[in-house]
Amino acid sequence: SSGINAEWPLRPGSDRGFKNLVKGCNSLEKMDLEECQSITDNSLIQISLHCPYLQSLTLSNCERISDEGLRYLCGSYAGQTQLRELELDNCKLITDATIDHLVQCRGLQRVDLYDCLRISRGGIKHLKSRRPNLTVHVYFPPDTPPVMQHDPVHNRVCRCCVVL
């Protein structure tokens, strides 16, 4: 593809600086902002406004983004028509509300939601029911079995563990 890719470690700074950066990059197709702590919902609004051809966006470990920023992204021209891949691993503030926003992304082929602790199994099931061809990467730890009160030997370990 003839678009531009951007992968850079942004230093802590202002949303105004990010706005100035993306204003001049309206041909971007891929943006990797993994572990960039200066990315906020305001940054996602700027991406939504100034990056109409964005196809791949990595926001993993951007812990300051929330459902609100993703609402703007998913409702934008790029979000609704261009975005193919979205990585949101370990974004601690996003919830099942983001699921409803992701449904708007008609071209989305893959979304990564590993370690998004506020996304529920029910939310993922809803997303898959609305977008059955979407590849969703997510992990839910197994439920911890209840402690059995009548067995003092096994009160100290869960049923998943082997006692030697």
Side-chain angles (χ1 to χ4, degrees):
S1 94
S2 62
I4 301 169
N5 296 328
E7 296 182 46
W8 67 89
L10 289 177
R11 303 288 181 246
S14 69
D15 283 318
R16 186 177 354 164
F18 187 78
K19 176 183 178 180
N20 291 333
L21 178 66
V22 297
K23 276 179 105 173
C25 299
N26 61 1
S27 295
L28 278 177
E29 291 182 357
K30 179 180 181 182
M31 189 180 295
D32 186 339
L33 300 170
E34 185 169 0
E35 295 185 17
C36 186
Q37 298 305 308
S38 62
I39 297 300
T40 67
D41 289 339
N42 288 329
S43 306
L44 293 184
I45 291 169
Q46 296 309 314
I47 291 170
S48 301
L49 293 171
H50 302 292
C51 300
Y53 303 107
L54 195 62
Q55 295 178 19
S56 177
L57 180 59
T58 300
L59 296 168
S60 297
N61 298 298
C62 293
E63 297 179 359
R64 296 174 63 195
I65 64 169
S66 72
D67 300 324
E68 187 66 13
L70 289 163
R71 180 174 70 87
Y72 280 97
L73 178 69
C74 295
S76 71
Y77 173 81
Q80 291 185 4
T81 63
Q82 303 296 312
L83 196 61
R84 303 289 179 257
E85 300 174 348
L86 182 59
E87 297 179 21
L88 298 169
D89 302 325
N90 201 36
C91 291
K92 297 179 184 316
L93 299 179
I94 64 172
T95 70
D96 282 345
T98 287
I99 298 300
D100 290 326
H101 307 319
L102 292 174
V103 170
Q104 297 177 58
C105 300
R106 296 183 302 268
L108 194 61
Q109 297 170 356
R110 177 178 61 88
V111 63
D112 293 357
L113 295 165
Y114 292 111
D115 297 320
C116 294
L117 302 178
R118 295 180 178 190
I119 300 284
S120 70
R121 284 180 171 90
I124 297 300
K125 185 177 178 179
H126 173 70
L127 179 59
K128 291 296 289 177
S129 73
R130 299 281 309 274
R131 298 288 313 284
N133 295 325
L134 177 63
T135 300
V136 180
H137 294 150
V138 66
Y139 171 76
F140 292 103
D143 293 330
T144 304
V147 174
M148 299 170 57
Q149 296 298 325
H150 64 279
D151 188 351
V153 172
H154 292 100
N155 274 346
R156 290 174 268 144
V157 295
C158 69
R159 286 184 284 165
C160 303
C161 305
V162 175
V163 179
L164 300 175

